[in-house]
Amino acid sequence: MSLSVPVSRKTNWSATRLPWAFAFVLAGGAILAPALWNGFPLVFADTGGYLARPFEQTLLIGRSVLYGLVLTAALPWDFWPSIVLQAAAAAWVILLVLRLHGLARRPGLAAALSVALAAFTGLPWNASMLMPDIFAPLTVLGLHLLAFRHADLTRSQAAGLALLVAFGSATHMGTLALGFALFGVYAALRMRAPRLTLPRPRLAPAFLSLFTGVALALGSNVVVTGKAAFTPGGIHFLFGRLLQDGIVARHLAERCPDTSLRLCAYRDALPRRADDWLWGWESPLYKLGGPEGFAPEARAIVWATLSRYPLEQVTSAFGATAQQLVRVRTGEGVNPHDTEHAVRALLRYAPAAMPRFAAARQQHDAFDFTLLNRLQVPLALASLLLLPVIALARRRLRIPSADAALAVSALAGLILNAAICGVFSNPNDRYQSRIAWLAPLALAVAGLSRRVGPDG
């Protein structure tokens, strides 16, 4: 029995509206399950930094003002609207992908696949957390549909995806970089698509959605802080990774003592981990003027090490990317010991929510991710290894070109995310876990293909 649908999928969905609505509720509920069981939206250490932005009306490294506005708007309801919208967006995009890739007449199967993703990947844990992490994979899927399936979308679907990509890319500079990097892949594929037997991606819808995201990021910062600037911090995250890899220490060993380098005075007190440099209370970063005061020196050191140690820089970057690509464990930062920074902001700006926050299972260390990671890590890595096979051998495997394009988008998204996060920050399980579920999704779509597409 064929699970494929005709080329044109602009179908009247009214006959199956109720089954698809049920699938949406079921998928959204499964994605929201961790927060529901917790009794409160999951909180990460960085949550407080986002929440404080609209109140303090300042820019902070790595903390989007726009996402802070979302948290502030949901504050009277203990932040539940934020994660309900995140779970709803994830459920809608996943079901839309499945509908356009073979399951237009199988809402039950699409719902089952969505629930399986929620059960065996980190998807629900990211969607249930007061963090913009979930928008990284949703941006990848949104761009894929806008680029490769735009002709099959209704106007409302296309508008919804464009809005989601714009908002998602504006919630974090890493996601914005991921979006533009993926757009670059699509631009290259457009020239090579016929030779690769892939559909030619449409670039205009994807670019316009990303451009809107740029305007949204800048506009929200102007409205709240009065500064027409992006969220700062890129140079500091990169500096932290170079410090962690020992490149900064090598530079200081060759240059100190040097009166132009204030960091020489703290050469023997440098932390070994990037996170300790960026967020540690006793970090030399804050003794040297904080992120804003140290930025010129950080920038000078980064450029100096790039010119002095190019081979070491390249080796370090490739190593960080490779390491990040396989670090997919879920659960980082969910234990109560990692929420200290968030608690300070919650006490100050959301005191009414503190009783429910304190009573939540997260604050009583009730989550054990051992079993989940035993299942999801092999699944994520095996799916990652199979994506190139689907993309390169799709004719032999009788996989329609549209489904192979989804595998290409997922693979590109995973590699680009690993490069951006690994190189410009440092390898971290949370960074890849939030996007790793794209591989099993693309693999499931390819596995459901039962006939060769009309393109051969």
Side-chain angles (χ1 to χ4, degrees):
M1 178 179 179
S2 172
L3 292 180
S4 299
V5 295
V7 175
S8 176
R9 292 176 175 83
K10 286 186 177 178
T11 310
N12 184 357
W13 298 101
S14 58
T16 57
R17 187 173 297 171
L18 186 60
W20 278 107
F22 179 76
F24 173 76
V25 171
L26 189 63
I31 293 171
L32 200 59
L36 294 174
W37 189 78
N38 184 49
F40 195 87
L42 297 177
V43 172
F44 189 71
D46 298 351
T47 301
Y50 289 101
L51 176 62
R53 300 285 54 76
F55 292 98
E56 297 179 2
Q57 298 181 342
T58 58
L59 297 176
L60 180 68
I61 58 173
R63 305 293 176 260
S64 163
V65 167
L66 180 62
Y67 192 73
L69 289 171
V70 172
L71 295 184
T72 302
L75 199 157
W77 301 276
D78 290 350
F79 306 105
W80 282 102
S82 296
I83 59 166
V84 169
L85 288 174
Q86 290 177 183
W92 177 64
V93 172
I94 291 169
L95 291 176
L96 185 57
V97 167
L98 293 173
R99 275 163 55 163
L100 294 177
H101 284 273
L103 298 185
R105 297 179 178 87
R106 303 292 296 275
L109 182 54
L113 286 173
S114 302
V115 172
L117 279 177
F120 300 113
T121 73
L123 163 64
W125 299 94
N126 289 292
S128 293
M129 185 173 284
L130 296 174
M131 289 284 290
D133 290 10
I134 187 62
F135 294 108
L138 296 186
T139 295
V140 172
L141 292 178
L143 288 172
H144 166 80
L145 293 177
L146 289 172
F148 287 101
R149 311 311 301 266
H150 192 272
D152 303 325
L153 297 170
T154 65
R155 289 185 178 180
S156 60
Q157 289 169 346
L161 287 170
L163 180 62
L164 178 62
V165 169
F167 175 81
S169 59
T171 60
H172 198 282
M173 291 297 96
T175 303
L176 184 63
L178 173 61
F180 274 106
L182 188 59
F183 175 82
V185 172
Y186 291 162
L189 279 177
R190 183 171 175 82
M191 296 183 290
R192 305 282 294 177
R195 187 170 183 176
L196 297 173
T197 66
L198 291 173
R200 293 187 72 186
R202 291 186 59 177
L203 301 181
F207 178 79
L208 288 175
S209 62
L210 290 170
F211 181 80
T212 304
V214 170
L216 194 56
L218 290 173
S220 59
N221 288 348
V222 169
V223 169
V224 174
T225 71
K227 296 181 178 180
F230 288 109
T231 304
I235 193 66
H236 295 290
F237 287 107
L238 177 56
F239 181 91
R241 201 265 300 170
L242 297 180
L243 183 148
Q244 183 169 293
D245 287 351
I247 295 177
V248 171
R250 178 181 175 183
H251 179 69
L252 295 180
E254 295 180 3
R255 290 286 303 275
C256 295
D258 186 333
T259 55
S260 67
L261 291 176
R262 295 180 297 153
L263 192 60
C264 285
Y266 299 92
R267 177 183 166 191
D268 296 329
L270 293 179
R272 294 185 177 181
R273 298 174 63 248
D275 286 345
D276 293 334
W277 166 261
L278 290 168
W279 313 114
W281 299 117
E282 298 299 323
S283 171
L285 173 63
Y286 299 97
K287 300 174 183 177
L288 293 168
E292 186 173 355
F294 185 66
E297 186 165 327
R299 192 172 295 109
I301 292 175
V302 167
W303 282 111
T305 57
L306 282 170
S307 62
R308 291 168 68 91
Y309 324 120
L311 180 60
E312 187 173 349
Q313 287 277 13
V314 171
T315 303
S316 175
F318 272 104
T321 300
Q323 185 181 354
Q324 182 64 82
L325 193 60
V326 298
R327 290 192 60 169
V328 296
R329 295 175 64 85
T330 294
E332 182 178 330
V334 176
N335 67 70
H337 308 296
D338 291 329
T339 59
E340 180 182 354
H341 288 276
V343 169
R344 293 173 182 267
L346 290 172
L347 284 170
R348 184 171 183 179
Y349 303 117
M354 288 306 295
R356 271 86 65 192
F357 169 77
R361 286 184 167 89
Q362 181 184 11
Q363 305 313 308
H364 295 85
D365 213 5
F367 295 115
D368 185 353
F369 293 91
T370 303
L371 179 59
L372 173 62
N373 284 321
R374 285 178 180 172
L375 296 171
Q376 82 142 47
V377 172
L379 172 64
L381 297 181
S383 301
L384 172 65
L385 291 174
L386 288 173
L387 288 181
V389 178
I390 295 170
L392 297 174
R394 73 105 182 159
R395 284 183 178 272
R396 183 175 299 177
L397 297 174
R398 304 184 68 198
I399 295 172
S401 62
D403 297 346
L406 177 62
V408 170
S409 290
L411 180 61
L414 289 163
I415 294 174
L416 292 172
N417 184 75
I420 291 167
C421 295
V423 174
F424 294 97
S425 183
N426 64 92
N428 198 298
D429 279 306
R430 180 174 63 87
Y431 295 152
Q432 203 70 5
S433 173
R434 66 189 179 190
I435 200 171
W437 57 270
L438 292 180
L441 173 62
L443 190 65
V445 166
L448 290 170
S449 301
R450 290 293 185 267
R451 65 173 175 83
V452 177
D455 59 340

